[in-house]
Amino acid sequence: MIDGKLIILGIESSCDETAVSLLSCRNYFESSGSSLTDSSAHPHNNSPIDPPELLGSLISSQIPLHRLYGGVVPELASRNHSIALPSLIRELCAESGISPRDIDVFAATAGPGLASSLLVGNTTAKALAYASGKPFVAVNHLEGHLLSPFIESATPEPHLGLVVSGGHTLLIDVQDFGHYTLIGRSLDDAAGEAFDKVGKMLGLPYPGGPEIERCANDEGNPSAYTFPRAMIKEDHANFSFSGLKTAVLYTLPTLVPEGDPSLLSQAQLADLCASFQQAVIDCLTAKIRYALRKTGHRILAVSGGVSCNKTLRKALEDLAEKEGIELKLCSSSLSTDNAAMIAYVGLLKYKHGHIHRLDEDVDPNLPLTQDLNRTKNKRS
Ligand code: KG4
Ligand code: ZN
């Protein structure tokens, strides 16, 4: 604690990014009327807190390593998390001018993700909490993405959230912090997964998302190929991207012998990428419109790696203008996996009285609606 500020360290290691972040919250103790260890004073504490201040956020990306294998290799990911984390935390503290002793709360992703990767960040945060006698807070990675567009706010406003990442495509009605209703999801591949698989099909490096965007922007024509927009007119908010992926696969042999992507001309590649990208965007925007009508929300927040895509961002801005709603997006560095979103949700959870035991396991399939608070308000 420094000058009444609460300082929280967030650790993210659910997949192939090792990330750490420090957030501070001014006047926390004055406004909550509680001390750090007095967890019984926290439950459902609705007193306002100041908007948090991002002190620092570092990411050590393993993408170049996994690119050699065309996708994430779980064992390599966890080994590299354990190599990267100690020095990354030291670097973050030094850059932020924070001594590790000043950290009040330790938060880490507990799921969903790769079990062996989750364990590294989770155990590191627990070890730091144990050694310093400070609280540990387990955070759901999806809740991190979902609330990341509100990271500069004391608390998230009610809104419609679209989480569009490599593992998930979810439309969520956010009534309040911790009160979420799933409106729609992908029934097969997540949008980012479809980008990555189509990228691989087209001979592009991992991850496919940014590569497809780069090729599409190389004068690709989004109407060159008519790819399917699955379920776009149906009366629900679910998505399906596997048929779209297959349509790209079946188009390849009509363009080049044996569908060999290395024989595609630059123009063909650009057109395929732009047409695929546009189909994904049309599906996302159609179901957002549906969910906005269903929920009546006037704020749309979009998060997750795919939301870095500039053509998607432009489509979302146009949609927001037409519908007369407010659009909230993060910067690119806070859209892909990062630890600032974990520290932010950790802060909100801590404020609401969630302190987790150190013997709580990680959960590779942790759903967004399941709260890891069976043991809340107890320290082990
Ligand atoms: O949120 P994220 O970093 O990790 C997960 O939680 O999955 O998202 C990674 C996903 C990958 O599938 C990647 O290809 C996709 O986000 N992605 C993009 C772009 N940048 C990252 N997809 C489309 N266009 C982009 N510019
Ligand atoms: Zn993610």
Side-chain angles (χ1 to χ4, degrees):
M1 191 199 320
I2 304 179
D3 305 332
K5 283 184 191 171
L6 178 105
I7 296 172
I8 182 162
L9 173 73
I11 301 181
E12 156 60 33
S13 69
S14 65
C15 192
D16 58 349
E17 312 281 29
T18 320
V20 294
S21 179
L22 281 166
L23 270 192
S24 79
C25 183
R26 263 183 306 146
N27 303 323
Y28 179 87
F29 296 100
E30 286 83 341
S31 61
S32 68
S34 54
S35 72
L36 193 63
T37 47
D38 178 15
S39 55
S40 61
H42 284 274
H44 308 294
N45 183 339
N46 289 322
S47 55
I49 57 169
D50 283 13
E53 184 191 348
L54 184 58
L55 301 177
S57 184
L58 295 177
I59 300 176
S60 166
S61 178
Q62 299 180 15
I63 285 178
L65 174 72
H66 297 286
R67 185 168 278 170
L68 300 172
Y69 304 90
V72 180
V73 182
E75 190 188 326
L76 282 183
S78 53
R79 290 166 76 152
N80 279 278
H81 285 313
S82 70
I83 292 168
L85 255 182
S87 52
L88 209 58
I89 294 172
R90 263 197 297 273
E91 194 183 330
L92 175 73
C93 286
E95 275 185 10
S96 312
I98 297 290
S99 156
R101 279 191 199 83
D102 296 328
I103 299 171
D104 300 302
V105 181
F106 295 88
T109 307
L114 300 169
S116 54
S117 285
L118 288 165
L119 278 168
V120 178
N122 207 263
T123 307
T124 304
K126 285 172 176 171
L128 290 168
Y130 180 74
S132 58
K134 304 277 178 68
F136 165 72
V137 180
V139 174
N140 185 310
H141 181 83
L142 297 174
E143 193 173 14
H145 278 306
L146 178 69
L147 303 186
S148 54
F150 292 87
I151 203 160
E152 285 167 359
S153 318
T155 190
E157 291 168 87
H159 68 278
L160 174 69
L162 171 70
V163 177
V164 66
S165 69
H168 297 83
T169 305
L170 305 170
L171 271 166
I172 295 154
D173 174 358
V174 177
Q175 296 105 43
D176 194 359
F177 170 67
H179 294 90
Y180 313 128
T181 307
L182 185 67
I183 303 290
R185 66 187 170 90
S186 176
L187 302 179
D188 40 56
D189 293 343
E193 191 179 356
F195 266 100
D196 294 341
K197 287 178 176 170
V198 168
K200 205 169 186 174
M201 228 180 256
L202 298 178
L204 299 170
Y206 169 85
E211 295 293 327
I212 287 181
E213 174 173 22
R214 188 179 52 77
C215 294
N217 289 349
D218 194 11
E219 299 194 357
N221 173 6
S223 316
Y225 303 98
T226 319
F227 290 138
R229 275 85 167 140
M231 311 190 299
I232 202 166
K233 296 218 165 84
E234 292 178 18
D235 189 25
H236 58 74
N238 292 325
F239 307 92
S240 167
F241 296 109
S242 74
L244 169 59
K245 181 188 66 187
T246 310
V248 178
L249 183 67
Y250 286 172
T251 304
L252 272 177
T254 68
L255 300 174
V256 284
E258 292 173 35
D260 179 352
S262 66
L263 302 175
L264 289 168
S265 69
Q266 210 178 328
Q268 283 172 322
L269 183 63
D271 285 350
L272 279 170
C273 288
S275 301
F276 164 79
Q277 178 176 272
Q278 193 56 49
V280 176
I281 292 171
D282 288 350
C283 294
L284 294 175
T285 50
K287 296 303 179 181
I288 287 172
R289 274 198 198 87
Y290 176 92
L292 282 171
R293 275 195 297 278
K294 263 281 189 260
T295 59
H297 278 304
R298 309 304 301 157
I299 299 175
L300 167 68
V302 185
S303 56
V306 180
S307 71
C308 292
N309 187 288
K310 290 183 205 67
T311 313
L312 172 62
R313 284 181 172 238
K314 174 76 178 61
L316 292 170
E317 280 158 15
D318 292 348
L319 181 153
E321 200 181 323
K322 262 196 199 128
E323 302 279 332
I325 57 155
E326 184 185 344
L327 172 67
K328 288 185 90 76
L329 290 164
C330 305
S331 63
S332 287
S333 61
L334 293 183
S335 298
T336 48
D337 287 349
N338 67 86
M341 66 185 194
I342 303 303
Y344 179 55
V345 173
L347 173 69
L348 295 175
K349 291 190 93 160
Y350 180 66
K351 177 186 177 271
H352 283 75
H354 299 228
I355 296 174
H356 298 107
R357 286 172 46 155
L358 301 184
D359 58 1
E360 201 64 54
D361 201 1
V362 297
D363 182 351
N365 301 309
L366 186 66
L368 181 58
T369 42
Q370 180 191 321
D371 200 3
L372 279 177
N373 65 354
R374 272 170 287 164
T375 51
K376 76 179 183 186
N377 304 326
K378 285 201 194 101
R379 287 209 48 238
S380 52

